Amino acid sequence: MWKRLRELIYARASRAGELVAGSAQGAQTEQRNEATVVAERAAALLRGGVPPARAFAVIAADASSTSATGVIAARITDGVPIPSALAANDAPEWRVLAVAWRLAEECGAPLAPALQRIAYALRELDQMRERRSVLLAGPRATVRMVAALPILALLLGVLLGFDPVPVLLSPAGAVIASVGTGLLGVGVHWSRVMQRRAANDDQIAGLPFELMWVALGGGAPPPAAARHVVDRVDHYGAEWVPFDGFCSGSSLHSTLAAAESAGVPMRPLLLEQADAERVASAARLEREAERLGVRVLLPLGVCVLPAFIVLGVVPVVLSMFGAV
């Protein structure tokens, strides 16, 4: 099994470099929220005795045919298995949901509780995104404010009676404008790349524990349950579930071993550990957002502030002394 896991880890690492963002951030957020709602509603309908295919038809009744839910329902109507219909959507949330659904079917675990746990994890991810957006608002505002300083300096020079426009239209001014604009563009792009990396760091912590909890729900022994989880994760391409989380020495492996040696039920311990992983992930998010507020000063100090001097101060000074 460990050899197979290593092969999957390497395969995933090679595929990671080939992933391309498919849609805008707003559309992605809408899809993610929709996956959460679908998981919650499906769990509720299944608890009420509604068959799975019928449950999706009920959920899709209020959705447009072009929405992810409508597309899934159409695939299911055409005879596509529900997990495959879920995984065909181009968003990680749907693939995680597909893995959980298929695991419950294969292992004989109750489907509604499995979907409810995934819905709970997805809901926490939505809350984490909202929290991250608040934490990143400060660095974004700082970048916008500092990027506007060159223009404000030029306007201030005009208000004080100095006209920097002839300076900028001169041959020397063309060089000044080119250097200043280049520095400003590099600084803004640099800071935005830093913000984008922080904003796109989406994943659900503790998923190996959640999926093992689902697989064990049908009574399978831990080694067989782990094989089921790894196979389904690989089959549906659920990139948020790290393969190394199932290897010997991982936190999941240690938790299962501790539960077995102590003679306590494994499934409650797995859920507790999943919750603990998400709490730790939220704490890391806050730390990274706070560090970003400091790191963003690097492109501002190296590029944007020199651009302010070149574009906003030098033309005004030259116009004051009539250099051009």
Side-chain angles (χ1 to χ4, degrees):
M1 177 180 176
W2 309 127
K3 181 179 178 181
R4 170 64 174 160
L5 279 173
R6 285 194 297 269
E7 293 173 353
L8 293 174
I9 292 170
Y10 295 148
R12 172 163 296 181
S14 63
R15 290 199 303 264
E18 302 172 0
L19 294 178
V20 179
S23 58
Q25 183 67 24
Q28 290 176 349
T29 303
E30 183 179 353
Q31 277 190 330
R32 289 161 183 162
N33 292 336
E34 190 175 354
T36 308
V37 172
V38 166
E40 290 176 336
R41 291 182 178 177
L45 290 171
L46 291 171
R47 282 197 180 96
V50 180
R54 175 59 182 162
F56 265 100
V58 172
I59 296 170
D62 297 330
S64 66
S65 59
T66 58
S67 66
T69 307
V71 172
I72 292 170
R75 293 191 190 112
I76 295 170
T77 303
D78 292 338
V80 178
I82 293 176
S84 299
L86 290 169
N89 286 282
D90 188 20
E93 288 84 347
W94 296 108
R95 290 188 281 276
V96 170
L97 194 56
V99 171
W101 194 297
R102 185 58 181 156
L103 280 175
E105 290 180 342
E106 284 186 345
C107 300
L111 181 56
L115 296 182
Q116 189 62 53
R117 282 299 306 185
I118 299 301
Y120 174 67
L122 291 175
R123 182 67 68 188
E124 287 197 342
L125 178 63
D126 293 337
Q127 295 172 356
M128 186 183 73
R129 288 190 182 116
E130 294 174 2
R131 176 62 178 159
R132 182 178 58 203
S133 178
V134 172
L135 293 172
L136 295 180
R140 287 172 178 152
T142 301
V143 172
R144 286 195 295 266
M145 180 185 68
V146 176
L149 286 179
I151 298 175
L152 295 177
L154 291 175
L155 293 176
L156 181 61
V158 172
L159 291 176
L160 293 176
F162 305 105
D163 188 6
V165 175
V167 175
L168 293 175
L169 295 178
S170 67
V175 175
I176 292 173
S178 299
V179 173
T181 303
L183 286 171
L184 182 62
V186 170
V188 171
H189 177 71
W190 185 358
S191 60
R192 284 180 177 174
V193 167
M194 296 172 65
Q195 296 173 44
R196 196 176 300 120
R197 287 176 179 172
N200 291 338
D201 187 18
D202 284 342
Q203 60 179 347
I204 303 176
L207 276 179
F209 298 92
E210 298 278 3
L211 296 177
M212 273 295 293
W213 176 83
V214 174
L216 291 173
R227 284 194 296 271
H228 278 299
V229 175
V230 170
D231 289 342
R232 292 306 101 197
V233 168
D234 179 53
H235 179 74
Y236 293 116
E239 61 266 34
W240 280 356
V241 186
F243 286 122
D244 54 4
F246 299 90
C247 292
S248 178
S250 66
S251 180
L252 174 62
H253 188 271
S254 301
T255 301
L256 293 174
E260 185 175 4
S261 63
V264 299
M266 292 182 179
R267 298 186 78 219
L269 196 58
L270 289 172
L271 293 185
E272 291 178 4
Q273 189 63 32
D275 292 337
E277 292 274 340
R278 283 196 284 272
V279 170
S281 178
R284 285 194 300 269
L285 165 70
E286 298 208 11
R287 288 196 301 269
E288 288 301 318
E290 291 173 357
R291 289 172 183 167
L292 179 63
V294 177
R295 289 198 301 265
V296 79
L297 297 177
L298 181 60
L300 297 182
V302 173
C303 298
V304 178
L305 289 180
F308 160 70
I309 295 173
V310 173
L311 283 177
V313 177
V314 172
V316 174
V317 172
L318 291 177
S319 66
M320 288 173 57
F321 292 100
V324 179

